[in-house]
Amino acid sequence: MSPENTGNLLDNVMTSIHASGSTPEVLDVGTANQRFRTSFPGNYKAVVDPSAGVLMADKCLKTLQSLFLNNGGRVLDGWPVTSITPGETVELRGPKGRVKAKAAVLCPGPWAGPLLGSLGVQIPVRVEKIGVYYWKVRDPKTPVFTFIDLSCSDNHFYALPDFEYPGYMKLCYHAGLRTDPDERDKVDMSTVQRRTEGYVKKFFPCLEPKPSVVESCMYTITPDNNFVLDKHPKYQNLVFGAGFSGTGYKIAPACGEALAKMAMGLQPQLDFSSFTLGRFYRSKI
């Protein structure tokens, strides 16, 4: 969804849908409101992607871990890395011992700044705590659909179907408040929740106006909202991926494959050169 005066945002969406081999459906706001039980004003219009879907995170992660284990991997849960010693052999230490390897791939998420900084890699990221809200569906005629509102100048609202908690749609704002990843529970998210409640009350009469389930997550955000895949400037057997800005899960297999090949000294199948860390510093050289 988007107001008709927001430039070519929806045109770009339609171009992307066409490029993926599907045909978008354009809806006037009245048709969209009737179909999806929403209440957007007359200056909005909608584009429907019939090929879109939802990734079930728990099932995807379980599958990836199973593949990893079946190929000889070990999963060490609940083991934060306390130190990394680079060299011809990389040593990682944590409370359960140490691991040595010919190469290492580091994907430290919200801890990317301090962990990579300890290795002399300065990555410009900020960490935000994100409010995750689930709203009871009160109109039984509400269909299953995913949703993005492109009208916000600073970010966007999005919604997912009631799959995680049956009968409760997930609707969130795609931004939050700065936080220390070790202290995120201390961040007061009431302003973000009130903003989201106001949005639901205004545009989603099919939902209860107060969230029934309140959770949170963290985003690690780069200045251009694009991720970083790169090698340590000195130790080529040390590669890292970070700063996925709230979108990394959807492209994790492609990025994981690229990082694995980089760690083995191979060229990734896709060109990831525009996602190196150096893009943030070229203008300063």
Side-chain angles (χ1 to χ4, degrees), residues 1-3 6-15 47 150-152:
M1 297 286 293
S2 176
T6 49
N8 58 353
L9 290 175
L10 289 182
D11 291 336
N12 292 339
V13 171
M14 288 190 285
T15 299
V47 171
L150 301 175
S151 66
C152 301

Side-chain angles (χ1 to χ4, degrees), residues 232-243:
H232 191 284
K234 182 178 179 181
Y235 304 100
Q236 296 295 289
N237 61 344
L238 203 55
V239 303
F240 56 90

Side-chain angles (χ1 to χ4, degrees), residues 116 120-125 222 227-231 233 240 272-282:
L116 295 176
V121 176
Q122 304 303 320
I123 180 168
V125 291
T222 63
F227 55 86
V228 177
L229 300 185
D230 211 340
K231 294 182 178 181
F240 56 90
F272 284 90
S273 59
S274 60
F275 298 103
T276 59
L277 181 59
R279 72 182 188 270
F280 297 121
Y281 302 103
R282 290 182 190 123

Side-chain angles (χ1 to χ4, degrees), residues 4 17 31 49 51 78 97 105 110-111 133 144 174 176 197 202 228 231 259 262 264 271 277:
E4 296 188 61
I17 296 170
T31 303
D49 179 3
S51 67
V105 177
W111 292 270
Y133 308 109
V144 171
H174 191 66
E197 288 174 353
K202 186 175 182 180
V228 177
K231 294 182 178 181
L259 288 167
M262 289 166 62
M264 294 186 289
D271 181 10
L277 181 59

Side-chain angles (χ1 to χ4, degrees), residues 161-173:
D162 58 340
F163 291 164
E164 293 176 275
Y165 298 100
Y168 296 84
M169 182 181 286
K170 178 180 180 180
L171 194 153
C172 313
Y173 184 58

Side-chain angles (χ1 to χ4, degrees), residues 78-85 91-95 97 106 108 111 115 118:
W79 184 35
V81 174
T82 55
S83 68
I84 300 172
T85 304
E91 182 179 279
L92 299 93
R93 288 184 177 270
L106 306 177
W111 292 270
L115 185 64
S118 69

